[in-house]
């Protein structure tokens, strides 16, 4: 019997009725972990010793889930998908994972990510490349590639994830599932490996908006160990889902969504944007107003550069303790300087080293004002622009990227001209710490695509309410990946 393709509430009902036991679910999730791990390389560690627990009135009790391998887990290998930590076993557990454990959730594996969360392809983890379960010749995106692959494949109903640029929301779109990044600090980052501290968000990947709300309600909370966390006890995401959305207002950005802005558009991009416009018409049937707005294209085109400068600079600082002395296997050398040099040279991937070089360069005294401080200034301009939109609109609704999952062989992806802003606009959600959720909204070329809703800080209930209502009319809730091709 297959049960792990069900929602959290459905599984809870089965457990309470005694139709299945927690151990039954754990055994099924472990079996699927090995199957999906062998097929798509989604996991760093499978916890074969995991056991079922007592089922309580807590919705998550007794239900298996996955943990992205940049969340610290006491006594369980936690690598960040990096050779530098390939043998690291923490002595403490991340606060958000502790919060899930208190509710009886059962972790069954640790999922692959791009090394230390620095990447958007799912290809740089030290255990290998994560394949997309809809089409193994394509990416899951990243960095939360393993979590997205596992949830989409029906291993369990949810997995934790993290998002510093779009690392929850783009994998969700590529894998046909839901990805939710709540307001910055709503979930404690204590125990999450820091990449870019001002951009890092904890979050979740699920197959429905309601499951995402259930899990984040359990993960969130103020934490004295994270000075950026805040009291969200007044926020009840699940209870807010059913509110009436009549009269709510959404906007989309012409410069990103109008096909006339892409004179070299491929058929795939045309179909993706047409699908989005068709969805907007359905959204209006809910009584939601949808309006087109304009944002300076120069500002939109700066998004990717701002992200590179700020994220890489913060990463360089955060990873300065990765020396092979404090953490990681020591390298042989005649002095500590060469020991550190050998460790970082041999154990970091080329992608990580490239980011460190850029981060160090923009932080040099002679470059800091030109690059780092200017990036911060443009970040503020972008955040201010979105906050102006939130004065009138409940959320910004936009398509995720330029279409379905990209090929590993990039030469197979058709060039669409200048689409940088369309590919990278989700990063604004990290610049401002805004709540942001991706839901599946259709298929292009037989592969899933998604839309994104982003709202103002602390307005998570409203954003998730809108996402829930839109999800209800689209028909993609709870879908399990079906391998369609290997082109």
């Amino acid at each position: 019997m297959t049960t792990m393709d069900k929602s959290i509430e459905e599984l809870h009902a089965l457990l309470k009725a005694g139709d299945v036991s927690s151990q039954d679910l754990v055994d099924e999730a472990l079996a699927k972990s090995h199957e999906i791990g062998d097929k798509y390389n989604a996991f760093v560690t499978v916890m074969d010793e995991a056991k079922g627990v007592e089922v309580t009135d807590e919705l998550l009790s007794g239900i298996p889930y996955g943990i992205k391998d940049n969340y610290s887990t006491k006594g369980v290998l936690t690598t960040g998908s990096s050779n530098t930590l390939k043998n690291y076993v923490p002595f403490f557990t991340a606060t958000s994972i502790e919060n899930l454990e208190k509710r009886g959730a059962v972790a069954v594996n640790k999922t692959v990510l791009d090394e230390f969360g620095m990447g958007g392809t799912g290809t740089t983890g030290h255990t290998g490349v994560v394949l997309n379960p809809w089409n193994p010749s394509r990416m899951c995106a990243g960095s939360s590639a393993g979590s997205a692959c596992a949830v989409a494949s029906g291993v369990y109903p949810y997995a934790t994830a993290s998002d510093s640029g779009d690392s929850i929301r783009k994998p969700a779109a590529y894998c046909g599932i839901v990805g939710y990044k709540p307001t910055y600090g709503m979930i404690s980052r204590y125990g999450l490996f820091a990449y870019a501290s001002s951009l890092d968000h904890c979050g979740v990947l699920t197959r429905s908006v309601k499951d995402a709300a259930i899990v984040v309600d359990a993960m969130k909370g103020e934490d004295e160990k994270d000075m950026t966390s805040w009291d969200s006890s007044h926020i009840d995401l699940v209870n807010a889902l059913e509110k009436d959305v009549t009269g709510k207002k959404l906007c989309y950005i012409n410069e990103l969504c109008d096909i006339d802005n892409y004179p070299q558009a491929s058929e795939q991009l045309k179909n993706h944007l047409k699908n989005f416009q068709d969805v907007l018409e359905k959204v209006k049937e809910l009584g939601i107003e949808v309006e087109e707005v304009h944002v300076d294209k120069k500002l939109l085109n700066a998004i990717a550069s701002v992200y590179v400068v700020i994220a890489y600079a913060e990463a360089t600082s955060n990873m300065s303790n990765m020396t092979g002395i404090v953490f990681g296997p020591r390298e042989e050398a005649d002095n500590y300087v060469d020991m550190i040099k050998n460790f970082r040279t041999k154990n970091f991937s080329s992608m990580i080293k490239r980011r460190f070089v850029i981060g160090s360069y923009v932080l040099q005294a002679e470059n800091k004002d030109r690059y780092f401080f200017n990036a911060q200034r443009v970040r503020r301009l972008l955040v201010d622009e979105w906050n102006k939109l939130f004065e009138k609109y409940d959320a910004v609704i936009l398509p995720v990227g330029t279409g379905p999952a990209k090929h590993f062989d990039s030469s197979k992806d058709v060039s669409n001209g200048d689409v940088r802003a369309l590919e990278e606009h989700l990063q604004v959600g990290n610049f401002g710490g805004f709540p942001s959720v991706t839901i599946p909204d259709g298929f292009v070329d037989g592969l899933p695509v998604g839309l994104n809703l982003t709202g103002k800080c602390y307005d998570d209930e409203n954003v998730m309410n809108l996402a829930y209502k839109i999800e209800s009319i689209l028909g993609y809730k709870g879908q399990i990946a079906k391998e369609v091709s290997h082109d």
Side-chain angles (χ1 to χ4, degrees):
M1 181 177 69
T2 298
T3 52
M4 295 311 293
D5 57 356
K6 300 184 185 304
S7 70
I8 290 170
E9 287 185 320
E10 289 170 337
L11 290 171
H12 181 69
L14 290 173
L15 288 167
K16 292 293 283 185
D19 294 335
V20 295
S21 69
S22 176
Q23 190 61 50
D24 291 335
L25 299 185
V26 169
D27 290 343
E28 182 181 334
L30 289 173
K32 287 192 173 184
S33 295
H34 287 290
E35 176 190 346
I36 298 304
D38 292 342
K39 198 171 184 180
Y40 303 124
N41 196 39
F43 310 114
V44 178
T45 303
V46 176
M47 303 175 192
D48 288 311
E49 71 285 356
K51 301 296 181 186
V53 300
E54 178 185 357
V55 177
T56 68
D57 289 336
E58 291 282 355
L59 282 176
L60 300 180
S61 64
I63 298 176
Y65 75 105
I67 303 174
K68 187 175 179 180
D69 205 36
N70 59 347
Y71 283 77
S72 183
T73 46
K74 182 178 180 180
V76 179
L77 183 69
T78 304
T79 70
S81 282
S82 175
N83 271 323
T84 61
L85 292 181
K86 61 185 177 183
N87 298 315
Y88 174 60
V89 179
F91 61 88
F92 73 102
T93 295
T95 297
S96 58
I97 303 301
E98 284 187 338
N99 289 343
L100 292 174
E101 289 177 348
K102 289 174 184 176
R103 288 161 175 80
V106 184
V108 293
N109 55 46
K110 302 294 292 287
T111 64
V112 177
L113 58 145
D114 281 297
E115 186 175 9
F116 286 122
M118 297 187 212
T121 60
T123 63
T124 64
H126 74 299
T127 54
V129 173
V130 181
L131 310 182
N132 191 305
W134 291 91
N135 183 329
S137 64
R138 300 190 183 226
M139 302 174 183
C140 288
S143 62
S144 305
S147 289
C149 177
V151 171
S153 299
V155 177
Y156 30 53
Y158 71 98
T160 68
S162 62
D163 190 315
S164 304
D166 56 22
S167 289
I168 290 174
R169 294 159 293 156
K170 189 167 278 186
Y174 279 14
C175 292
I177 58 175
V178 173
Y180 172 36
K181 174 194 80 62
T183 297
Y184 183 79
M186 187 167 164
I187 300 175
S188 169
R189 289 181 295 113
Y190 179 74
L192 178 76
F193 292 175
Y195 161 25
S197 300
S198 74
L199 306 174
D200 295 345
H201 294 65
C202 295
V204 67
L205 286 152
T206 66
R207 293 190 296 270
S208 72
V209 173
K210 190 166 192 178
D211 278 0
I214 290 169
V215 177
V216 171
D217 270 342
M219 292 177 73
K220 70 182 179 66
E222 191 169 14
D223 181 13
E224 63 180 9
K225 297 173 183 175
D226 178 4
M227 63 182 289
T228 63
S229 68
W230 47 276
D231 182 7
S232 58
S233 58
H234 61 289
I235 292 178
D236 189 329
L237 296 170
V238 174
N239 283 340
L241 295 178
E242 297 286 355
K243 291 181 179 179
D244 187 15
V245 294
T246 303
K248 297 285 187 181
K249 291 185 176 182
L250 298 177
C251 68
Y252 65 94
I253 298 170
N254 168 280
E255 288 73 15
L256 296 177
C257 302
D258 189 336
I259 193 63
D260 292 338
N261 294 319
Y262 307 100
Q264 301 176 49
S266 65
E267 286 303 310
Q268 184 181 87
L269 179 59
K270 291 177 182 177
N271 291 335
H272 181 44
L273 293 181
K274 181 182 184 305
N275 177 77
F276 176 70
Q277 291 295 334
D278 291 343
V279 168
L280 293 184
E281 293 304 311
K282 294 179 182 178
V283 169
K284 293 175 184 176
E285 295 173 7
L286 291 168
I288 297 172
E289 296 180 38
V290 182
E291 295 180 359
E292 181 181 83
V293 296
H294 291 273
V295 175
D296 188 340
K297 191 66 180 288
K298 290 182 180 179
L299 192 58
L300 294 173
N301 282 336
I303 292 171
S305 298
V306 169
Y307 175 79
V308 165
V309 172
I310 293 174
Y312 295 9
E314 293 186 9
T316 300
S317 176
N318 281 326
M319 294 293 165
S320 62
N321 63 349
M322 302 302 296
T323 60
I325 297 174
V326 180
F327 292 105
R330 295 195 178 190
E331 297 291 340
E332 295 295 326
D334 294 332
N335 56 71
Y336 77 91
V337 174
D338 286 340
M339 182 186 296
I340 294 172
K341 179 180 177 181
N342 291 342
F343 170 80
R344 293 174 74 88
T345 300
K346 291 179 181 179
N347 291 292
F348 283 125
S349 69
S350 58
M351 181 269 295
I352 290 275
K353 287 183 281 191
R354 187 165 57 249
R355 293 192 177 204
F356 287 165
V357 169
I358 295 171
S360 298
Y361 180 79
V362 301
L363 287 176
Q364 288 177 347
E366 61 269 33
N367 300 324
K368 203 169 185 179
D369 189 63
R370 181 180 181 185
Y371 295 109
F372 186 70
F373 290 148
N374 266 338
Q376 295 283 28
R377 294 178 185 113
V378 179
R379 175 183 183 170
R380 171 48 53 194
L381 291 175
L382 283 159
V383 171
D384 286 348
E385 191 72 26
W386 256 249
N387 277 326
K388 287 177 187 175
L389 296 176
F390 297 144
E391 290 176 5
K392 182 177 180 181
Y393 301 101
D394 292 282
V396 178
I397 183 170
L398 293 169
V400 176
T402 56
K406 299 292 186 290
H407 292 87
F408 291 113
D409 178 0
S410 60
S411 67
K412 293 184 177 181
D413 293 317
V414 179
S415 174
N416 302 303
D418 186 4
V419 293
R420 289 174 297 169
L422 182 57
E423 280 288 1
E424 308 297 343
H425 67 82
L426 293 179
Q427 294 165 0
V428 177
N430 301 83
F431 296 164
F434 303 132
S436 187
V437 58
T438 288
I439 64 174
D441 73 336
F443 286 81
V444 172
D445 296 342
L447 294 169
V449 291
L451 65 80
N452 178 264
L453 289 162
T454 296
K456 65 183 178 182
C457 286
Y458 314 113
D459 200 24
D460 292 71
E461 288 185 349
N462 194 23
V463 172
M464 291 296 277
N465 174 215
L466 287 161
Y468 179 74
K469 293 295 187 178
I470 295 171
E471 176 190 62
S472 70
I473 62 170
L474 296 183
Y476 304 109
K477 181 174 70 173
Q479 66 185 1
I480 302 293
K482 303 175 183 65
E483 193 172 316
V484 293
S485 64
H486 199 308
D487 52 18

